[in-house]
Amino acid sequence: MPNGVKTTIGITNVGNEAFLDESWESFVYTHSIEVCDTLVFTHQGGPDFKILRYKANGCRPELDVIYPDAKMPLGNRLYRPWDTESEDSDLEPPQLQSNFMSTLPSFTCVLIASDLDRGLNLPTIWWKTHVEDTDSVQSVTFWVGDDTWIMYVKIEAENVWIRRGWKTFARANQLRVGTTCKFEMLPWPTPTFSVTFS
């Protein structure tokens, strides 16, 4: 799995068909795989496969992409406002504890053709829970490495979508169909997301 957890599963051949053995049940239980989850197997050579799992809403579960003992990267090209020399800043660094990354509100999506053509729809319930629950247009900041991008997000009754800025962002970061985008909401006073791709 992308979080580094490896599982060995046997294969039984019956005629022209192959079946995963009873170790598969343990794998399903360990990773809490459910009905309607989509699993994508990519052959890595030899007997190795990488597995990506997507929920029914198209998002990848946090536990699949976060190492269990992951720590917040101190470098990793993330902007940290508290590193400035200005004494006027009210920002304080977050607690750099072992579970910091897993506590950041985040969502993950896999891009499809319409996301690149018309603009990216964001998960409505997640957005209204963590960002804003009113119909409006607001600006948000995306951080990718050392670069910042200002997006304008339109919040409507049943939809949240990037109204302006997305196509330029997608071209500049060479996004394409199948790209996985992870958006982590940083603890800044204004809506700011660290965005990573795979």
Side-chain angles (χ1 to χ4, degrees):
M1 298 289 279
N3 60 10
V5 176
K6 297 182 179 180
T7 305
T8 299
I9 301 174
I11 296 179
T12 301
N13 292 311
V14 178
N16 292 326
E17 297 181 317
F19 298 88
L20 301 174
D21 69 15
E22 60 272 6
S23 302
W24 174 252
E25 292 182 12
S26 176
F27 176 85
V28 168
Y29 176 80
T30 300
H31 296 280
S32 302
I33 294 173
E34 301 174 339
V35 174
C36 294
D37 285 359
T38 298
L39 302 179
V40 179
F41 293 75
T42 304
H43 187 223
Q44 302 291 297
D48 298 327
F49 287 84
K50 180 177 181 181
I51 300 178
L52 298 181
R53 187 244 304 247
Y54 301 96
K55 304 303 290 180
N57 61 4
C59 295
R60 288 169 61 187
E62 283 295 313
L63 293 178
D64 285 8
V65 295
I66 298 292
Y67 285 80
D69 59 349
K71 294 185 179 180
M72 181 65 180
L74 299 182
N76 205 29
R77 304 178 67 197
L78 286 178
Y79 172 73
R80 296 177 291 157
W82 57 83
D83 286 342
T84 63
E85 296 183 6
S86 170
E87 296 181 359
D88 298 329
S89 175
D90 293 327
L91 298 176
E92 295 292 334
Q95 294 297 317
L96 299 177
Q97 52 198 19
S98 62
N99 65 344
F100 180 76
M101 288 187 72
S102 62
T103 61
L104 289 176
S106 64
F107 64 91
T108 305
C109 60
V110 181
L111 300 182
I112 59 177
S114 61
D115 294 331
L116 300 174
D117 293 338
R118 297 196 303 265
L120 183 64
N121 278 304
L122 305 175
T124 303
I125 294 175
W126 187 96
W127 194 270
K128 291 190 173 186
T129 299
H130 296 285
V131 184
E132 188 172 11
D133 190 16
T134 58
D135 290 357
S136 64
V137 175
Q138 70 176 114
S139 64
V140 299
T141 303
F142 286 175
W143 283 93
V144 179
D146 295 327
D147 298 321
T148 60
W149 307 82
I150 303 299
M151 303 287 156
Y152 291 90
V153 175
K154 173 71 174 175
I155 302 108
E156 297 176 327
E158 299 299 328
N159 292 288
V160 178
W161 53 286
I162 300 176
R163 181 177 182 182
R164 193 171 57 189
W166 173 252
K167 288 187 177 181
T168 301
F169 177 83
R171 282 195 302 269
N173 290 285
Q174 301 178 344
L175 304 185
R176 59 187 187 276
V177 173
T179 298
T180 298
C181 302
K182 180 173 183 179
F183 300 83
E184 289 184 292
M185 188 175 182
L186 300 176
W188 303 167
T190 58
T192 305
F193 292 82
S194 168
V195 187
T196 53
F197 313 112
S198 61

